[in-house]
Amino acid sequence: MATPLTRDEMSDLDDAAFFEAYKQGRIERREDVWTAENFEEEMEKLPLFMTHDPTPEEFVTNPHLAAMQQAFEQDMDPVERADYHKDHGNKAYKDALQAKHSLKLQRSHVRKAIECYTEGLKEKSRDPVMDSALLSNRAAANLIIGNNRRVIVDCSQAVQLNRKNIKAYFRCVAQRSTMCLPKSFVPSTVPR
């Protein structure tokens, strides 16, 4: 077996000589490099090429995601981060409304929206209007899946933070009206 080249010897080689030394086995093959077998798996670890939404665990274990999260947290103030989460929650909420054909898919989008709104609230923006909007939006998502208690709690808190939040009033009334209707209620019997 040929003797391995040192780093200094490798840096002196041009491309053709480097590849020739690699073929001869004089350049050490590392185990942690990408191969044809692990290419897709390694690409999936890079945020730009991910085909799924990262889980909270991945933000801890994946150094690329951790670096992005750290940059995100340093570059934005709490209100901007809360707004970021609100926007992502709104997108998931809209996706849930469009996924009426699949209850499982709809629930998945609703849970994602609830998670985003909750993350926005964890930012502690200290902006009552922003926090009220996040609570009201989370109530709307909970309204879809019938989580009635959560709707009332979120709407009540939203109104306490911002008395002008009409959507919070509306969502609370919508939730209460669904609870008060008898099971045999037929919408066509309502007088017009």
Side-chain angles (χ1 to χ4, degrees):
M1 180 169 171
T3 58
L5 296 174
T6 65
R7 286 193 181 269
D8 290 336
E9 291 172 330
M10 283 190 279
S11 64
D12 292 337
L13 300 176
D14 63 3
D15 288 345
F18 181 85
F19 286 119
E20 187 59 37
Y22 184 79
K23 287 180 197 172
Q24 295 171 357
R26 297 187 64 208
I27 296 177
E28 186 178 340
R29 290 183 170 94
R30 293 177 31 203
E31 296 297 321
D32 62 339
V33 279
W34 294 17
T35 62
E37 293 81 31
N38 72 355
F39 177 78
E40 287 182 24
E41 180 183 327
E42 293 297 325
M43 287 293 283
E44 192 67 30
K45 293 178 184 175
L46 298 174
L48 182 62
F49 300 107
M50 285 184 164
T51 58
H52 68 285
D53 288 338
T55 63
E57 180 183 292
E58 285 179 305
F59 278 104
V60 175
T61 59
N62 184 330
H64 304 293
L65 286 171
M68 281 184 62
Q69 183 71 19
Q70 185 178 11
F72 170 74
E73 291 171 356
Q74 289 175 349
D75 289 348
M76 297 176 146
D77 68 357
V79 175
E80 290 174 322
R81 288 195 302 267
D83 189 47
Y84 170 86
H85 290 297
K86 184 181 84 155
D87 290 343
H88 279 73
N90 290 348
K91 182 188 179 318
Y93 180 79
K94 288 175 187 172
D95 291 344
L97 293 177
Q98 293 174 351
K100 290 183 179 181
H101 61 280
S102 169
L103 187 61
K104 186 176 180 182
L105 182 60
Q106 185 181 39
R107 283 186 172 274
S108 171
H109 287 304
V110 168
R111 291 192 194 296
K112 177 70 176 169
I114 291 169
E115 182 181 307
C116 288
Y117 297 136
T118 303
E119 287 299 314
L121 290 165
K122 287 180 183 176
E123 295 295 338
K124 299 189 187 319
S125 69
R126 298 188 184 187
D127 178 0
V129 174
M130 173 60 70
D131 290 345
S132 177
L134 287 164
L135 286 162
S136 176
N137 290 356
R138 187 169 72 179
N142 277 306
L143 193 58
I144 291 176
I145 59 174
N147 194 349
N148 297 324
R149 251 186 239 153
R150 190 78 246 174
V151 173
I152 292 171
V153 170
D154 284 349
C155 287
S156 299
Q157 290 177 350
V159 169
Q160 286 177 356
L161 290 170
N162 179 12
R163 298 243 181 242
K164 295 180 181 178
N165 187 342
I166 303 300
K167 289 181 179 180
Y169 289 107
F170 173 77
R171 289 172 180 149
C172 193
V173 169
Q175 182 279 327
R176 288 183 185 222
S177 67
T178 60
M179 287 182 68
C180 295
L181 295 175
K183 299 262 186 216
S184 61
F185 177 76
V186 179
S188 61
T189 62
V190 175
R192 293 177 192 219

